Amino acid sequence: MDLDMLNMFVIAGGTLAIPILAFVASFLLWPSALIRIYYWYWRRALGMQVRYANYDDYQFCYSYRGRPGYRPSILMLHGFSAHKDMWLSIVKFLPKNLHLVCVDMPGHEGTTRSDLDDYSISGQAKRIHQFVECIKLNRKPFHLVGTSMGGNVAGVYAAQYPEDICSLTLICPAGLPSTTDSKFIKQLRELQESKRIDRIPLIPSTPEEMADMLKLCSYVRFKVPQQILQGLVDVRIPHNEFYRKLFLEIVDEKSRHSLHEHMSKIKAPTQVIWGKQDQVLDVSGATALANAIPDCHVYILENCGHSVVVERPRKTANLILEFLALLHGIDNNKKQA
């Protein structure tokens, strides 16, 4: 091998080493940056585009794919302390010809956060209605999907703005009283008794607390590297003060049972999906909804916890598509690979 050839390999090796070393350094030193890159990559790979909409001086951030057509558009509302990108795992299994909209809930991610805003469940439903009007999503009735806190908001929205929606999917929704205390509710009661309510299990501030939260929310035990746990915490810490304020707002008497108080007013065909091993919100809530909503279809997923969207994305997407096909004749065979 001549010297020129050897030099070429050395240069090529050095060129390759730079991005590899940069990746390793990022993983070790800035894991939160990698998490943001991960979501950016999957949004691009799945064709989700980020946009902003303004209602007076209030800004909504959302992602979308497709255009409104003869099929109902789908609006997705995420849960407490999450963001619009949590739906990407389900978007992966939905047809590209569906119009999908995932919005950051009030105060979350790219949507305006203000100390003067009303973060009660009814207040959030009102904000989402403003968003819907901003992007003119309600020109035609749409399908509304919500999970956890977002499920609570979605149910209240369906009751308060029935003309906007044609059907509804509630995934492990909050806002319902339960005869059986979940593990999470028991933890909250213990914290209240010990006057340590600042240690809310859904608001981690260390990698260890993040691991505990993942165990609480998921039946499936994911093996998450320490650096990724640290990155997840780093992303959340700047927002934890807001999350505490929001949490106290939605568990207050005004919002605690909002879905229960409005469920008899829901007239749209409704689908309820719940993980049987949910340790955050007891699965008995599904029965309460089925008894109160006339056209209600309940699906209980075995070996699944509260994080249905993460644990069973393909199954959840299929159930939504089957429900839409039943109601609106949507072809659920053209799924994205």
Side-chain angles (χ1 to χ4, degrees), residues 191-239:
L191 290 170
Q192 285 177 325
E193 290 171 3
S194 62
K195 297 181 179 180
R196 297 172 64 200
I197 196 61
D198 58 311
R199 301 290 297 277
I200 300 167
L202 297 181
I203 308 178
S205 56
T206 66
E208 293 73 26
E209 290 176 358
M210 174 59 72
D212 289 340
M213 188 190 81
L214 294 177
K215 289 177 184 177
L216 178 68
C217 293
S218 303
Y219 175 79
V220 176
R221 291 293 176 256
F222 298 104
K223 293 182 178 179
V224 184
Q226 183 73 10
Q227 286 302 117
I228 296 299
L229 290 173
Q230 184 65 59
L232 292 170
V233 169
D234 290 345
V235 168
R236 295 171 64 98
I237 281 179
H239 310 287

Side-chain angles (χ1 to χ4, degrees), residues 63 95 198 202 306 308:
S63 60
D198 58 311
L202 297 181
H306 186 65
V308 171

Side-chain angles (χ1 to χ4, degrees), residues 17-36:
I18 291 171
I20 292 172
L21 288 173
F23 178 85
V24 172
S26 296
F27 181 74
L28 295 175
L29 301 177
W30 304 290
S32 60
L34 281 183
I35 290 169
R36 293 188 179 93

Side-chain angles (χ1 to χ4, degrees), residues 74-328:
I74 301 177
L75 174 61
M76 298 179 168
L77 308 182
H78 64 73
F80 172 77
S81 75
H83 48 76
K84 60 187 175 298
D85 293 332
M86 69 157 285
W87 294 107
L88 292 176
S89 57
I90 283 184
V91 169
K92 178 182 178 182
F93 299 106
L94 293 175
K96 287 186 175 180
N97 56 6
L98 281 180
H99 180 222
L100 308 176
V101 179
C102 307
V103 63
D104 284 325
M105 295 294 282
H108 290 75
E109 198 76 5
T111 292
T112 295
R113 177 179 301 172
S114 169
D115 291 336
L116 302 177
D117 215 13
D118 178 8
Y119 290 106
S120 68
I121 296 302
S122 291
Q124 292 191 61
K126 182 179 179 180
R127 279 297 188 195
I128 295 302
H129 185 245
Q130 292 171 352
F131 168 70
V132 165
E133 291 192 319
C134 271
I135 66 170
K136 298 179 172 57
L137 192 64
N138 55 353
R139 283 180 175 176
K140 180 181 175 182
F142 57 88
H143 180 70
L144 182 59
V145 181
T147 184
S148 198
M149 180 193 76
N152 195 353
V153 175
V156 171
Y157 188 104
Q160 292 183 338
Y161 307 100
E163 68 283 355
D164 279 7
I165 71 166
C166 58
S167 45
L168 176 69
T169 294
L170 302 176
I171 304 173
C172 304
L176 299 166
S178 176
T179 54
T180 305
D181 284 346
S182 66
K183 180 178 179 180
F184 173 63
I185 297 300
K186 290 176 180 176
Q187 288 179 344
L188 280 185
R189 289 213 170 115
E190 290 172 1
L191 290 170
Q192 285 177 325
E193 290 171 3
S194 62
K195 297 181 179 180
R196 297 172 64 200
I197 196 61
D198 58 311
R199 301 290 297 277
I200 300 167
L202 297 181
I203 308 178
S205 56
T206 66
E208 293 73 26
E209 290 176 358
M210 174 59 72
D212 289 340
M213 188 190 81
L214 294 177
K215 289 177 184 177
L216 178 68
C217 293
S218 303
Y219 175 79
V220 176
R221 291 293 176 256
F222 298 104
K223 293 182 178 179
V224 184
Q226 183 73 10
Q227 286 302 117
I228 296 299
L229 290 173
Q230 184 65 59
L232 292 170
V233 169
D234 290 345
V235 168
R236 295 171 64 98
I237 281 179
H239 310 287
N240 276 356
E241 184 178 347
F242 166 73
Y243 293 153
R244 289 189 185 93
K245 176 185 175 181
L246 173 62
F247 182 82
L248 294 176
E249 181 72 51
I250 62 178
V251 299
D252 186 69
E253 288 184 10
K254 182 179 178 181
S255 295
R256 189 181 307 160
H257 298 146
S258 288
L259 179 54
H260 181 261
E261 293 162 3
H262 287 82
M263 62 185 182
S264 62
K265 300 175 186 176
I266 297 175
K267 305 305 178 186
T270 300
Q271 175 186 54
V272 177
I273 304 173
W274 216 302
K276 188 174 182 179
Q277 285 74 30
D278 193 333
Q279 297 184 96
V280 178
L281 300 169
D282 191 73
V283 69
S284 60
T287 302
L289 290 169
N291 291 336
I293 302 173
D295 189 4
C296 188
H297 306 248
V298 175
Y299 303 88
I300 306 299
L301 305 186
E302 296 281 349
N303 302 321
C304 184
H306 186 65
S307 301
V308 171
V309 174
V310 176
E311 295 180 73
R312 304 289 289 281
R314 185 192 296 269
K315 179 65 176 178
T316 303
N318 287 343
L319 286 173
I320 292 173
L321 290 172
E322 288 166 9
F323 184 57
L324 293 175
L326 176 67
L327 298 175
H328 312 293

